[in-house]
Amino acid sequence: MREIRKSEKLNGVSYDVRGPVLDAAMKLEAEGEKILKLNVGNPGAFAFNAPDSVLHAVSDNIIRSQGYSDSKGQIDGREAIAAYAKEKGIEGVRVEDVYTGNGVSELIMTCMQALLNPGDEILIPAPDYPLWTGAAKLAGGTPVHYICDESSDWMPDMADMRSKVTAKTKAIVIINPNNPTGAIYGVDILQQIVDLAREHDLIIFSDEIYDRLLMDGLTHTSIASLAPDLFVVTMNGLSKSHMIAGFRIGWMCLSGNKAIAQDYIAGLNLLSSMRLCSNVPAQSVITAALNDRKETVAYCQPGGRLYEQRKAVVEGVKAIDGMSMVTPRAAFYSFPKLDAKRFNITDDEKFALDFLREKHVLIVNGRGFNWPTPDHFRIVYLPQAELLTEAMLRLKEFLADYRQA
Ligand code: PLP
């Protein structure tokens, strides 16, 4: 019989956060081993619960959630999202400029499919949330990575970004707050990105799914609020801030110069209609969720789970010779550095596999986030602080005599 092969569209598309290291962990689990999982940003898997107001909103609305909604989503939820955009200083977002999606993930795919032709380039951060790179490639475009600079608290390296703009560049993607670094971008760097986009007529895509998970008294600025004259797509959702990743609810707002983007918007509308609509029971919680942010805020304050769990990781890394880390300021990720010379690490996937097999701790190596050198990995600090402390101790023991052959 003829072999069944995947489409050539998928050649070169990778999503290593779900790659061979995870497969090895699942195999170990199937053999009865207990794995400490620091690999995935899924709050529901670590005994985080949605606020009661959100859970009630689903049950109260379940009867009216049985049919398809408008392809962009129900009006009341989109009104709440438009009001949230206004609160963030993004002017001119009307209800028709708001699209709900089955998570931000679906909207990333939609935006890339609607935009990119073969050869078109799009600037994406390194490290990145790798769906952006995968979606751009799948759409036929060419992701071009600009470096975020660890020595500047993981801010985008503007000289690098600028040097990578070509006549084929269509857009700049920023992830702010950032997964995997936990960085929050200040107004100054955002303004420089806006200036570059303005100079070269580039679209800005801003993934702001972590904008309500901020620590250390920091605030978040939406880049769209600084760019009322450019076409900006701002993405956000409830998977993380309201711990309902399984509900699949995200959104995007179009702002700024929509007149120049009419054809692209027609493409977005077409793709939005083709998937009919996003999950309707999940849409019905948007208003309640955006009105109830106190639990999210509390998680990030001293004494709150995310704050204390971050502390466990920061202290754990500090105690390990040959490791360093920029303290994350938002979300629940950190991206520590290994002294690759000292440990002779030339293959970061091998490092992750070796650590998993010896200590039964699962992390994702930096290559999974399109990081170019084998000297970083991501820790998700959603597990309870005791488990994180245990994981860090195992890492310390593991590294004490680890040298890659
Ligand atoms: N964007 C970023 C930066 C993420 O980290 C994630 C998930 O981890 C997503 C988007 C996707 O989120 P969802 O599809 O659950 O809305």
Side-chain angles (χ1 to χ4, degrees):
M1 271 169 69
R2 198 160 31 142
E3 186 190 2
I4 300 170
R5 294 190 58 82
K6 67 178 182 302
S7 154
E8 284 167 14
K9 290 195 297 288
L10 292 174
N11 291 347
V13 176
S14 65
Y15 194 58
D16 279 356
V17 281
R18 303 239 160 183
V21 187
L22 180 63
D23 292 346
M26 283 163 64
K27 191 160 171 276
L28 282 170
E29 266 189 335
E31 290 162 8
E33 300 296 347
K34 202 165 162 19
I35 306 297
L36 248 171
K37 292 181 185 148
L38 313 185
N39 65 315
V40 57
N42 181 11
F46 298 98
F48 280 96
N49 286 314
D52 286 345
S53 57
V54 168
L55 297 176
H56 289 145
V58 193
S59 48
D60 292 351
N61 286 294
I62 200 74
I63 302 275
R64 70 162 187 126
S65 302
Q66 297 173 78
Y68 297 128
S69 67
D70 178 281
S71 67
K72 293 182 186 176
Q74 292 174 328
I75 296 294
D76 52 352
R78 285 158 64 212
E79 279 172 351
I81 293 164
Y84 184 69
K86 190 154 195 246
E87 180 188 322
K88 296 291 302 275
I90 309 174
E91 289 302 328
V93 175
R94 303 157 305 175
V95 170
E96 59 263 42
D97 302 320
V98 177
Y99 299 63
T100 62
N102 293 302
V104 168
S105 305
E106 184 187 44
L107 298 166
I108 293 174
M109 300 285 271
T110 302
C111 283
M112 297 297 96
Q113 288 294 340
L115 183 70
L116 297 170
N117 293 310
D120 286 345
E121 294 175 5
I122 178 161
L123 295 173
I124 294 178
D128 69 349
Y129 174 63
L131 180 61
W132 279 102
T133 297
K137 271 198 191 151
L138 182 60
T142 305
V144 176
H145 292 106
Y146 63 85
I147 292 292
C148 295
D149 180 5
E150 188 168 25
S151 66
S152 305
D153 290 336
W154 287 117
M155 291 303 122
D157 178 334
M158 288 311 299
D160 190 55
M161 192 189 284
R162 178 173 286 278
S163 76
K164 287 176 175 160
V165 176
T166 73
K168 293 179 185 161
T169 310
K170 275 196 154 169
I172 302 174
V173 174
I174 65 167
I175 302 170
N176 173 37
N178 191 271
N179 174 9
T181 65
I184 304 175
Y185 301 166
V187 173
D188 181 49
I189 197 88
L190 293 173
Q191 190 60 57
Q192 292 180 56
I193 296 168
V194 169
D195 292 346
L196 186 65
R198 188 175 288 130
E199 201 180 309
H200 295 278
D201 265 346
L202 304 176
I203 303 175
I204 298 175
F205 291 100
S206 186
D207 180 342
E208 303 185 355
I209 192 166
Y210 299 103
D211 77 335
R212 292 176 293 282
L213 290 166
L214 312 174
M215 295 186 213
D216 307 326
L218 295 172
T219 53
H220 179 265
T221 303
S222 282
I223 194 166
S225 70
L226 306 174
D229 56 325
L230 304 182
F231 182 66
V232 183
V233 180
T234 304
M235 298 189 180
N236 209 319
L238 300 176
S239 291
K240 318 291 179 166
S241 66
H242 289 73
M243 314 293 173
I244 49 171
F247 281 31
R248 311 310 297 128
I249 179 66
W251 60 82
M252 63 179 177
C253 299
L254 314 184
S255 66
N257 192 345
K258 290 164 238 170
I260 55 162
Q262 285 307 305
D263 193 54
Y264 179 50
I265 293 171
L268 293 176
N269 292 343
L270 173 67
L271 291 179
S272 203
S273 302
M274 284 169 72
R275 56 88 211 237
L276 300 177
C277 65
S278 72
N279 179 328
V280 179
Q283 289 179 39
S284 70
V285 311
I286 296 169
T287 309
L290 288 177
N291 283 334
D292 184 354
R293 300 180 223 161
K294 55 186 184 307
E295 287 185 32
T296 308
V297 169
Y299 284 132
C300 299
Q301 306 290 327
R305 263 190 75 180
L306 292 179
Y307 187 93
E308 298 305 322
Q309 290 165 193
R310 175 184 68 164
K311 200 155 112 193
V313 172
V314 169
E315 285 172 2
V317 170
K318 253 192 214 145
I320 300 176
D321 287 338
M323 277 193 75
S324 58
M325 187 173 80
V326 175
T327 300
R329 302 289 176 191
F332 33 71
Y333 308 104
S334 61
F335 201 56
K337 181 174 187 180
L338 291 159
D339 184 340
K341 246 198 191 140
R342 176 187 175 120
F343 303 114
N344 197 35
I345 297 174
T346 51
D347 180 343
D348 59 345
E349 187 174 283
K350 181 170 168 20
F351 161 76
L353 276 169
D354 290 343
F355 182 38
L356 171 73
R357 289 192 176 123
E358 195 175 318
K359 295 290 183 187
H360 294 175
V361 179
L362 176 60
I363 47 97
V364 180
N365 51 300
R367 199 197 307 161
F369 308 97
N370 293 297
W371 184 246
T373 46
D375 50 4
H376 283 76
F377 63 94
R378 185 182 74 171
I379 295 174
V380 176
Y381 57 84
L382 283 170
Q384 300 279 4
E386 312 81 78
L387 287 179
L388 290 164
T389 302
E390 166 65 23
M392 299 312 294
L393 280 173
R394 289 192 209 174
L395 181 59
K396 186 178 161 81
E397 282 168 16
F398 174 76
L399 286 173
D401 57 4
Y402 183 70
R403 299 289 173 278
Q404 223 168 63

